[in-house]
Amino acid sequence: MKNWIVCEQLVKIYKQGDLEVIALQGLDLTVGKGEMLALIGASGSGKSTLLSILGGILAPSAGRVRVGERDLLVMDEGQRTAYRQKEMGFVWQNPSQNLLSYLSVRENILWPMRGKDKAERVARLLGLVGLEEMGGGMPADLSGGQQQRAALAVALANDPALLLADELTGQLDKEGALDLLGVLGDIRDVLGTTIVMVTHDPLMAEQMDRVVTIRDGRTSSEWRPQAGEKVDEWVLVDGAGRLQMPKSYMKALGIEKRVKVEAEGERLVVSPARAEVVLMEEAERVIDWAEVLGERVGVAEGMAVRLKNVSRLFGDEASGGRVAALAEVTLSIERGRLVVISGRSGSGKSSLLNLVGGLDLPTAGEVEVLGENIGVWSEGKRALWRREKVHYMFQNFGLMPFLTAIENVELTLRLLGVGRWARGRQAAGLVEAVGLGGRGRHRAETLSGGEKQRVALARALAGRPEILLADEPTGQLDTLTGGGIVGLLRRVVDELGMTVIVASHDPQVIEAGDVVVGLVDGRVVEERVGGWRVGGDL
């Protein structure tokens, strides 16, 4: 198999003033033509940076990187633009980055397409991704999995030799993700496309031809899942002699603060420091919420949310009928609870969240939030209400990339009229509270996925909302990083009394919930309180 991608000693350095962050430090990688490769690794390991370099979005700092006949190290901006348009396709985790909301699926595919026979090529792509009957539909009418299929067709509009996908299945449940991976296999088999996908999901990685782990900006292991092949794993030792331990090993061995190191011949043995030999334990980090928020949010009695026979329909009869995202949903959510809305992609999770947050209106039924029937309000009134009562955490973070972590949090405080000095102090305190004290002055674009989600949480908390809505907050994160976010959400509920409603299919989020609401095809089929089933089967 001829190598289509070659990376040798690849380096990428992000610069911010006098500060330098090394994202890739001498990475080596080859990918064969027509191969399906998965890149895995913890948040901040360099996966997305590598994908952006291969996609011509970022310029490498040093080393060698070739895709086909292209030398990406020496290309100027104009050449990179031509490369992105003609020779590669990029699919983002959030389909909205590939799809224009005001164009139909067919029009979205046509828009970037070049050359002749466009109608025939569009029809072929719709068939390839399994959307033959939905070309005339709008993106908003599609489920999450269907939107990703449409995004794939857009990325393939000009028959690229290379397809790059960043956490393609992060918003999908297991069945939807496996279906989409089947589509990727068809694309490779029919078009001969080389596919490189960043993922944190081991199940998804196991369906690929080859899996490469990236750690500390270098490749550390690789294997071919179907053959059961695996090579030795390597980790980086820096100039000061510090060893970066894999988090999965640390968790399995119970390694926390210190380890015992012994030399045995040519081997260096690292073992956990047991409790009896640890001289000093760091106390659990205490967050003074009253100080960082300016005031404490108390637990109020009563219901935070009531939905009464709520339906939300999309589409119209002229374009082939209406699709029910939610159908006659009746649901009550008490204040001061962590509530998880679970279900397959397209089950209505995000639609329910958008109705509770006043971002959307019901087609029928009543949406009562904090005692107010918000479904009858104007958009302006709902916007002012959201500023004071309800804040969001989005899966794609929604941060300003050119602002620092603290400056992103300050934006919320500025909208609330907090003075310059006070908002700077409060924003820094919130960033510290979510565990990012050492990264507060770093621009958002240089942060890992887990760090960005912590900033997003700090920004949401800055408005002291009564309800926090989170849409797939762990969707882009590896299991360990996602667990940290879940732990923070749990503390927000337990220590602040805030109501947190999360849309997620992540098992660790579901396990942490006080109440789990299961949706299937827009209907509530199950509720669990403290692990006990209230009714129905999910």
Side-chain angles (χ1 to χ4, degrees):
M1 182 183 295
K2 181 182 178 181
N3 288 329
W4 187 250
I5 298 173
V6 176
C7 300
E8 294 178 346
Q9 293 297 299
L10 184 61
V11 175
K12 177 59 183 177
I13 302 174
Y14 293 101
K15 294 184 178 181
Q16 179 182 350
D18 296 331
L19 180 66
E20 292 186 348
V21 177
I22 304 177
L24 298 178
Q25 41 188 330
L27 180 140
D28 295 315
L29 176 70
T30 60
V31 183
K33 187 171 178 60
E35 187 176 15
M36 290 176 60
L37 177 79
L39 296 174
I40 66 173
S43 298
S45 61
K47 306 184 305 293
S48 294
T49 295
L50 174 60
L51 215 64
S52 294
I53 290 176
L54 295 178
I57 298 170
L58 294 176
S61 302
R64 181 182 178 221
V65 53
R66 176 176 59 79
V67 177
E69 301 301 322
R70 292 275 196 173
D71 185 344
L72 273 59
L73 184 66
V74 300
M75 287 197 308
D76 59 29
E77 184 56 41
Q79 291 170 325
R80 281 199 297 272
T81 298
Y83 164 74
R84 290 195 299 268
Q85 292 174 342
K86 300 176 182 178
E87 300 177 40
M88 57 78 59
F90 206 117
V91 188
W92 307 87
Q93 180 181 20
N94 188 342
S96 64
Q97 293 180 264
N98 282 90
L99 302 174
L100 298 173
S101 61
Y102 52 85
L103 297 181
S104 69
V105 173
R106 182 176 292 105
E107 290 168 338
N108 265 286
I109 302 171
L110 274 170
W111 182 74
M113 187 172 282
R114 298 167 179 267
K116 301 178 180 179
D117 304 320
K118 293 183 178 180
E120 180 181 336
R121 289 159 57 197
V122 169
R124 182 184 65 158
L125 287 172
L126 287 171
L128 187 60
V129 300
L131 294 178
E132 302 96 321
E133 306 300 323
M134 308 196 73
M138 305 300 288
D141 299 333
L142 307 181
S143 69
Q146 290 169 336
Q147 288 181 5
Q148 277 299 27
R149 289 169 182 253
L152 272 172
V154 172
L156 296 169
N158 290 307
D159 298 321
L162 174 63
L163 178 67
L164 305 174
D166 194 1
E167 298 287 7
L168 182 63
T169 61
Q171 297 189 41
L172 309 181
D173 57 86
K174 176 182 176 181
E175 291 81 4
L178 288 174
D179 288 345
L180 195 61
L181 283 172
V183 173
L184 287 180
D186 292 341
I187 290 170
R188 187 269 304 274
D189 296 340
V190 173
L191 303 179
T193 310
T194 302
I195 299 173
V196 179
M197 180 175 72
V198 164
T199 183
H200 66 266
D201 190 334
L203 177 63
M204 301 303 105
E206 288 172 2
Q207 311 305 313
M208 307 294 276
D209 297 330
R210 186 160 56 104
V211 181
V212 171
T213 303
I214 296 181
R215 178 171 291 117
D216 306 317
R218 292 181 178 178
T219 53
S220 65
S221 69
E222 68 173 75
W223 68 96
R224 291 173 174 80
Q226 305 305 319
E229 173 189 340
K230 188 166 184 178
V231 300
D232 292 336
E233 186 158 4
W234 300 85
V235 297
L236 178 68
V237 180
D238 67 15
R242 290 171 294 200
L243 180 71
Q244 297 290 330
M245 293 288 292
K247 288 186 178 180
S248 58
Y249 294 171
M250 293 176 66
K251 183 177 181 181
L253 296 174
I255 295 174
E256 295 180 355
K257 303 302 178 185
R258 302 207 289 183
V259 295
K260 183 179 180 180
V261 182
E262 296 176 286
E264 294 184 358
E266 295 182 352
R267 302 179 61 187
L268 187 67
V269 179
V270 179
S271 56
R274 303 302 177 190
E276 59 268 19
V277 301
V278 176
L279 302 178
M280 185 181 299
E281 289 286 345
E282 180 183 349
E284 182 180 359
R285 183 165 54 92
V286 176
I287 302 174
D288 188 340
W289 293 111
E291 180 175 342
V292 297
L293 290 177
E295 62 182 72
R296 192 175 183 82
V297 178
V299 180
E301 295 184 358
M303 291 294 170
V305 176
R306 291 183 190 271
L307 303 183
K308 301 177 182 178
N309 296 317
V310 169
S311 295
R312 179 63 175 103
L313 306 180
F314 291 97
D316 54 55
E317 297 299 335
S319 63
R322 310 194 78 182
V323 177
L326 294 173
E328 300 180 351
V329 171
T330 295
L331 178 67
S332 296
I333 296 174
E334 294 183 23
R335 293 175 182 255
R337 298 289 188 272
L338 175 56
V339 179
V340 182
I341 312 298
S342 183
R344 289 195 59 175
S345 300
S347 60
K349 304 189 299 295
S350 295
S351 295
L352 191 152
L353 233 60
N354 289 339
L355 291 177
V356 172
L359 292 177
D360 196 8
L361 295 175
T363 306
E366 183 176 324
V367 179
E368 183 181 292
V369 183
L370 301 174
E372 301 277 3
N373 183 6
I374 67 171
V376 298
W377 289 353
S378 67
E379 171 55 34
K381 185 174 182 179
R382 281 183 281 125
L384 291 174
W385 172 81
R386 279 195 302 271
R387 184 182 298 181
E388 297 179 358
K389 301 293 185 179
V390 178
H391 281 222
Y392 265 86
M393 284 177 65
F394 297 100
Q395 184 178 14
N396 62 351
F397 317 124
L399 303 178
M400 295 293 184
F402 50 87
L403 297 181
T404 67
I406 291 175
E407 289 168 343
N408 267 281
V409 177
E410 283 190 77
L411 287 178
T412 295
L413 297 170
R414 183 191 293 266
L415 289 174
L416 295 174
V418 179
R420 181 177 180 181
W421 181 85
R423 69 172 179 258
R425 178 178 56 81
Q426 192 171 334
L430 279 164
V431 170
E432 176 73 31
V434 298
L436 285 180
R439 303 282 279 167
R441 301 295 177 184
H442 291 244
R443 285 207 305 258
E445 63 186 1
T446 69
L447 302 179
S448 70
E451 290 169 339
K452 289 178 182 177
Q453 198 59 288
R454 288 173 183 264
V455 177
L457 175 58
R459 183 183 59 185
L461 293 176
R464 301 187 295 275
E466 294 186 45
I467 297 178
L468 175 62
L469 303 176
D471 195 358
E472 298 285 4
T474 63
Q476 296 195 49
L477 310 179
D478 60 84
T479 302
L480 291 175
T481 306
I485 298 299
V486 174
L488 280 170
L489 292 176
R490 186 69 260 176
R491 292 189 70 174
V492 166
V493 173
D494 295 340
E495 298 174 18
L496 285 174
M498 196 175 291
T499 304
V500 177
I501 306 174
V502 183
S504 179
H505 59 264
D506 185 341
Q508 62 182 340
V509 178
I510 294 172
E511 184 178 352
D514 297 315
V515 178
V516 179
V517 178
L519 293 180
V520 172
D521 296 330
R523 298 180 183 274
V524 176
V525 298
E526 181 185 48
E527 289 185 53
R528 297 177 186 171
V529 180
W532 292 96
R533 180 173 295 172
V534 175
D537 290 311
L538 182 58

